[in-house]
C-alpha cells in the first residue's frame, strides 16, 4: 500500500504515487489496469475528460472493493462545449466515474480557455460546492498562473506538468514560482529519461546511483526508481502508469528507498541540463482546430 503523501495548500493530502490513464491507456478501456493498480496498493488515480476512459476508471473503483474514502481521484477539465458550464462537465465526469466527488479537478490545458480567469472562478465554486475536494491546474506556465492568481479566492493546489531531469533547467523558473505560491508541482512523464529518451547522458549517472543504493540496502534499485526518488525528495508527486504488476511493485518500492545524497541530486540535475527533451508538446488552437501531436503520448 502506498502510504506517502504530501500536504497541499488547502490542507488536503495528495498521495505521492499516482496511476495515470492518459498515455499508454489513452482512449483505451482501462478497468483491468486500474483494478490491478488499486489491488497493488496505489490509491491515487489520474484521469481526464479527454482520455476517454473515465467510465472504466469508475468501473474499476466500483469493483475494487476499496472504499471511496481511501482513494484519491483526479480528473481534468478539457474544453467547455457551447451551451455547457464547467460544472456540467464535472457532473458528467462524476457520473462516468460513479463517484459523488473527485479529490482533485484540474484545468488540463490553459490554451483551450480564452476566459481562463472565469474558468478558474468556476472551479472555485465547484470546490465550495464539494464536487471537488481540491482544485488545480495542469500545463500552466507562469504567465497563465499570473492570469488567475490576482483576485483568486482559492489558490491552485497543484500544477501538473511534464517534469524530469531533461526539462529540469527549463522548468526551474516555473518550479521556483510554484514554490513561492505554495502550489505543488506534480510530475507526469517523470520516467522520460529511461523510456522515451533512453541513451542520453543521464544513463550512466542513474546506473551508478542505482548501484550505490542497491548495495546500501541489499536489494536492487533501478534507474527508474532513482528518478522517482529524485522527484519524491523534492516533494513532487509522481504520476506514472504501467500494465505490468512488476512495475507497480517497482514504483511502490520507491517509498522504501533512502534519499539521494546532495551530490547525487546535483549530478542528476547538472547532467540532465546538458540536453533538453520535452516530450509532451502543448496542445494549441490552430485555424480554430485543436492540434495535438498525440504520438508523443504513447511510447515508441
Ligand atoms: N496533464 C497532462 O497534460 C499529462 C498528464 N499525463 C498523466 O501522466 C501519466 C503518466 O505519464 P507517462 O509519461 O506515461 O509516465 P512515465 O514517464 O512515468 O512513463 C511510464 C511508462 O514508462 C514505462 N517504463 C517504466 N519503466 C521503464 C523502463 N525502465 N524502461 C522503459 N520503459 C519504462 C512504463 O511501462 C510506462 O508505459 C499519464 O498516463 C497521464 O495520466 C501524461 C501526459 C500529459
Ligand atoms: O494528459 C495527457 C496527455 C494529453 C494532453 N492533452 C491531450 C489531448 C488528447 C489526448 C491526450 C492528451
Amino acid at each position: 500500500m502506498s502510504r506517502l503523501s504530501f500536504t497541499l495548500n488547502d490542507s488536503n493530502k495528495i498521495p505521492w504515487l499516482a496511476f495515470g490513464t492518459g498515455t499508454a491507456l489513452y482512449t483505451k478501456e482501462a478497468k483491468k489496469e486500474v483494478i490491478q493498480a488499486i489491488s497493488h496498493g496505489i490509491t491515487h488515480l489520474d484521469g481526464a475528460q479527454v482520455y476517454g476512459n473515465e467510465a472504466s476508471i469508475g468501473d474499476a473503483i466500483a469493483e475494487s472493493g476499496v472504499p471511496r474514502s481511501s482513494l484519491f481521484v483526479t480528473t481534468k477539465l478539457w474544453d467547455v462545449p457551447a451551451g455547457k458550464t464547467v460544472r456540467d462537465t464535472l457532473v458528467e465526469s462524476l457520473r462516468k466515474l460513479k463517484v459523488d466527488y473527485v479529490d482533485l479537478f484540474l484545468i488540463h490545458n490553459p490554451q483551450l480557455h480564452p476566459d481562463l480567469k472565469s474558468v478558474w472562478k468556476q472551479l472555485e465554486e465547484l470546490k465550495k460546492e464539494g464536487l471537488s475536494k481540491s482544485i488545480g491546474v495542469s500545463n500552466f506556465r507562469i504567465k497563465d498562473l499570473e492570469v488567475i492568481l490576482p483576485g483568486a479566492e482559492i489558490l491552485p493546489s497543484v500544477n501538473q506538468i511534464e517534469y524530469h531531469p531533461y526539462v529540469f533547467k527549463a522548468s526551474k523558473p516555473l518550479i521556483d514560482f510554484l514554490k513561492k505560491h505554495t502550489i505543488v508541482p506534480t510530475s507526469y512523464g517523470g520516467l522520460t529519461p529511461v523510456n522515451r529518451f533512453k541513451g542520453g547522458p543521464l544513463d550512466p549517472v542513474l546506473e551508478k546511483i542505482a548501484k550505490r543504493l542497491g548495495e546500501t540496502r541489499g536489494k536492487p534499485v533501478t534507474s527508474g526508481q532513482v528518478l522517482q526518488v529524485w522527484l519524491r525528495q523534492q516533494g513532487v508527486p509522481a504520476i506514472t502508469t504501467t500494465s505490468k504488476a512488476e512495475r507497480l511493485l517497482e514504483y511502490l518500492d520507491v517509498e522504501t528507498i533512502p534519499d539521494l545524497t546532495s551530490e547525487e541530486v546535483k549530478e542528476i540535475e547538472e547532467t540532465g541540463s546538458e540536453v533538453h527533451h520535452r516530450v509532451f508538446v502543448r496542445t494549441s488552437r490552430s485555424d480554430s482546430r485543436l492540434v495535438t501531436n498525440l504520438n508523443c503520448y504513447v511510447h515508441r
Side-chain angles (χ1 to χ4, degrees), residues 126-178:
L126 292 171
K127 175 174 166 63
K128 290 177 196 170
E129 185 181 351
L131 294 185
S132 185
K133 299 293 185 193
S134 295
I135 55 177
V137 296
S138 179
N139 299 305
F140 269 46
R141 302 154 296 187
I142 290 175
K143 65 180 179 181
D144 303 310
L145 291 160
E146 286 173 337
V147 167
I148 66 169
L149 287 179
E153 204 180 332
I154 299 171
L155 282 172
S157 54
V158 309
N159 186 13
Q160 185 181 121
I161 56 176
E162 177 175 349
Y163 186 54
H164 52 78
Y166 285 153
V167 295
F168 171 78
K169 188 175 177 183
S171 304
K172 185 119 183 37
L174 176 60
I175 295 292
D176 291 346
F177 184 94
L178 295 173

Side-chain angles (χ1 to χ4, degrees), residues 165-170 267-276:
Y166 285 153
V167 295
F168 171 78
K169 188 175 177 183
E267 189 174 13
I268 287 172
E269 293 171 0
E270 287 182 350
T271 308
S273 298
E274 290 172 10
V275 295
H276 177 75

Side-chain angles (χ1 to χ4, degrees), residues 18-26 46-48 51 76 78 106-109 137-139 160-162 164 187-196 198 222-224 228 238-244 247 250-251 279-280 296-297 299:
F19 182 84
T21 62
T23 43
L25 294 169
Y26 170 60
D46 183 81
Y51 298 164
K76 309 181 192 86
W78 192 241
L106 304 178
I107 299 174
H108 201 152
N109 181 350
V137 296
S138 179
N139 299 305
Q160 185 181 121
I161 56 176
E162 177 175 349
H164 52 78
S187 159
Y188 66 75
L191 294 179
T192 295
V194 296
N195 56 27
R196 300 178 189 88
K198 189 149 184 60
T222 67
S223 294
Q228 292 178 329
I239 304 158
T240 187
T241 195
T242 182
S243 58
K244 299 186 181 82
R247 282 233 201 269
E250 180 186 335
Y251 302 152
V279 173
F280 293 89
C296 72
Y297 299 132
H299 307 303

Side-chain angles (χ1 to χ4, degrees), residues 34 50 70 133 238 289 299:
V34 176
V50 78
S70 300
K133 299 293 185 193
R289 285 177 303 109
H299 307 303

